[in-house]
Amino acid sequence: MEPYLLPVVFVAVFAAFALSASAGFGGSLILVPTLALTLGTKNGVALAALLLAANNFVKVFAYRRTLPFRKAVPVVVLVAAGTFLGAKLFVSAPERWVTIAVILGFGLAFLVETLDLNRFRRIGSPVLAFASGATSGFSGTSGPLKGLAVRALDLDRMHLVGALSLVSLVGDVTKTAVWTDAALLTGGDYLVALACVPLMLVATFLGRRFNYKIGERGYTGLFWTVMLGYTGRLLAGL
């Protein structure tokens, strides 16, 4: 990475962590394209997964009192299974395929969003959970599908953020483990993650504080703003 790009990357990292702590997800919306542009698609996606995994440990601790373990377990298990499969495919896939998969992932999310999911929320949640994991493991980001899968659990704002944090943690840790074993992530990448710990702590604190202040209605707006952000990335890639 060119030295002049470091400030841009660190700003993007901080913004991603703060958004993720506020909404429970959305960090990959900022981090994946930034690191993919600066490091290349595969290396950027892999490092983004490592950084988001580390940040999700901080998020889970921050929201430890509102973690809906019982309700979130089915989604967590399906996301982990889908992520493992997608991450394995990612290792052997040509870089161009991975780039196309990112665009197709958003396309799938866009199509899902046009369906009337209210009638089929309980049925659709497991399907979306597995699909979000597979998309995340293969392309590095699954925000829209993950958001829809967890929102279908009908949780209040704080428990929704807690569930999203749990699901994100499991998905990103799964990807990180697979890609470390495949040598896509090295000791140098882990040093970068360690250097970002202060950013994680500050950004998570600020994001959680913002979440507390905006209330249920404000959070609903933030949630769908993040969803629209993913859709915007889809349109930009067309």
Side-chain angles (χ1 to χ4, degrees):
M1 186 189 303
E2 297 294 334
Y4 69 88
L5 291 175
L6 284 174
V8 176
V9 170
F10 280 117
V11 169
V13 166
F14 184 84
F17 292 163
L19 175 60
S20 184
S22 300
F25 74 129
S28 62
L29 178 63
I30 299 172
L31 208 52
V32 168
T34 301
L35 295 181
L37 285 172
T38 55
L39 299 176
T41 302
K42 277 200 171 183
N43 290 335
V45 167
L47 181 56
L50 172 60
L51 293 175
L52 291 169
N55 184 58
N56 280 317
F57 277 105
V58 181
K59 276 169 52 187
V60 166
F61 178 79
Y63 288 101
R64 62 192 179 280
R65 292 184 182 137
T66 55
L67 298 175
F69 290 104
R70 186 174 299 177
K71 276 197 169 185
V73 162
V75 174
V76 167
V77 171
L78 288 167
V79 165
T83 300
F84 182 81
L85 175 63
K88 284 290 188 181
L89 292 172
F90 177 92
V91 172
S92 57
E95 187 159 320
R96 186 178 178 184
W97 288 15
V98 177
T99 302
I100 293 172
V102 174
I103 297 173
L104 291 179
F106 290 123
L108 177 61
F110 181 78
L111 290 176
V112 167
E113 192 58 22
T114 63
L115 302 176
D116 181 11
L117 294 177
N118 290 329
R119 298 183 211 167
F120 309 103
R121 296 185 87 175
R122 292 191 180 183
I123 298 174
S125 180
V127 176
L128 289 169
F130 185 83
S132 75
T135 304
S136 178
F138 189 68
S139 69
T141 181
S142 65
L145 299 180
K146 177 171 63 182
L148 292 172
V150 175
R151 195 169 181 85
L153 298 176
D154 290 322
L155 300 167
D156 63 76
R157 168 176 48 111
M158 300 308 298
H159 285 88
L160 178 60
V161 175
L164 283 166
S165 299
L166 271 177
V167 170
S168 298
L169 172 63
V170 171
D172 288 325
V173 167
T174 301
K175 286 186 290 186
T176 297
V178 172
W179 293 340
T180 299
D181 183 63
L184 283 177
L185 290 169
T186 64
D189 296 310
Y190 280 87
L191 287 176
V192 171
L194 186 62
C196 288
V197 168
L199 292 177
M200 297 174 193
L201 296 173
V202 176
T204 300
F205 171 78
L206 291 175
R208 185 184 63 175
R209 187 175 180 183
F210 179 73
N211 183 288
Y212 284 153
K213 287 189 172 183
I214 59 177
E216 294 288 344
R217 187 173 181 180
Y219 177 76
T220 299
L222 176 62
F223 179 92
W224 290 111
T225 297
V226 173
M227 295 291 285
L228 286 172
Y230 280 112
T231 303
R233 274 188 58 191
L234 165 65
L235 296 175
L238 294 178

